[in-house]
Amino acid sequence: MFINQSQQSFHAGSGCLEDATKISNWEACLGTFSILASLSMGIPQIFKIFRLQSSKSLSFWTLAMGNLAGQFYIINMFLLHFSQISHGLTGSPLDWSETQRHLMMLYVVLANTFSYSLIYPTAFCFHHSAPVQVLGFSTTSSKLALWGLFAQIVVTLLGWSRVLKIVIEGHSCTHISRAYANLCGGLVSLFAILQFLPQVYVSWTAKGSFALSYFTLGGDMLAGSLAVLEKVGLGRTF
């Protein structure tokens, strides 16, 4: 969802975003399309795994970092838009309807994260285990992938537990929530930088992409490129 940067401002002395103007109909339509596109982003990858009955050459590190990036992005958006969310829940039905337009990007991130989160367990189910050595200990790649799944769950729960604490203590629109939202945003950036390095290594050493879906990868690259062009070239932000 592309929204004019001039349409967004912070509450004075708070950590919550507030939209100063209404979202136009075409922007709402674009946001709806983005949600539907994000929901379908992981389908090509899942379909290819099922078709090959294998997840060969897929990096679980890349998938894990993508999942965690999505979760921290949701936390970031949730905290920054908490005022709008609260207003939509406590206001009139008309307020709730109008609020949905301002939360389009949050819904896009939710849809994208949900779609990609299904890839990891699918890849795990079709993973052909092999013996590996980790710090001198013998184990299997399946066990490592399973522990990776548990690690994602633990990190996600820890991240959201902090959000729950902020909301319960009434710091949802203060510098505390803004600082944590910025921290989560920084983690998203870090994961975005490192995410595909393991996949490049796995594909390089396997001498092929095999189960890696170019449709999902290309769609992800296209969406990211459009976001950069929109922000840098047009002076807009998601």
Side-chain angles (χ1 to χ4, degrees), residues 26-202:
W26 78 267
E27 287 177 318
C29 289
L30 183 58
T32 302
F33 172 78
S34 299
I35 294 172
L36 296 176
S38 297
L39 273 175
S40 62
M41 194 69 74
I43 293 178
Q45 181 61 77
I46 294 174
F47 175 78
K48 189 169 185 179
I49 294 173
F50 270 101
R51 182 170 61 84
L52 297 178
Q53 295 290 292
S54 172
S55 59
K56 181 180 179 181
S57 197
L58 275 182
S59 169
F60 285 101
W61 278 99
T62 291
L63 296 177
M65 283 191 283
N67 289 340
L68 290 177
Q71 289 295 330
F72 283 114
Y73 200 176
I74 293 172
I75 292 174
N76 173 270
M77 298 294 293
F78 175 80
L79 288 175
L80 293 181
H81 290 276
F82 187 84
S83 177
Q84 296 168 343
I85 296 172
S86 299
H87 180 68
L89 293 175
T90 58
S92 66
L94 184 61
D95 291 331
W96 182 89
S97 178
E98 183 60 32
T99 299
Q100 304 315 301
R101 291 176 175 239
H102 297 296
L103 299 179
M104 281 289 187
M105 187 55 202
L106 175 59
Y107 296 145
V108 169
V109 176
L110 282 168
N112 190 75
T113 302
F114 172 75
S115 182
Y116 271 98
S117 67
L118 299 178
I119 299 176
Y120 194 102
T122 303
F124 176 77
C125 291
F126 291 94
H127 175 66
H128 301 300
S129 186
V132 293
Q133 288 281 335
V134 179
L135 301 177
F137 294 95
S138 297
T139 183
T140 64
S141 56
S142 292
K143 288 183 179 179
L144 287 179
L146 183 60
W147 280 109
L149 180 60
F150 289 149
Q152 292 174 63
I153 295 174
V154 170
V155 172
T156 298
L157 291 176
L158 287 175
W160 279 102
S161 66
R162 176 59 177 166
V163 175
L164 183 62
K165 185 174 185 291
I166 289 174
V167 173
I168 291 177
E169 293 180 351
H171 299 306
S172 303
C173 284
T174 66
H175 68 282
I176 296 177
S177 67
R178 184 174 182 179
Y180 187 58
N182 290 335
L183 172 62
C184 291
L187 290 175
V188 173
S189 300
L190 179 62
F191 283 131
I193 294 171
L194 302 176
Q195 180 180 352
F196 290 103
L197 295 180
Q199 183 60 65
V200 171
Y201 174 79
V202 170

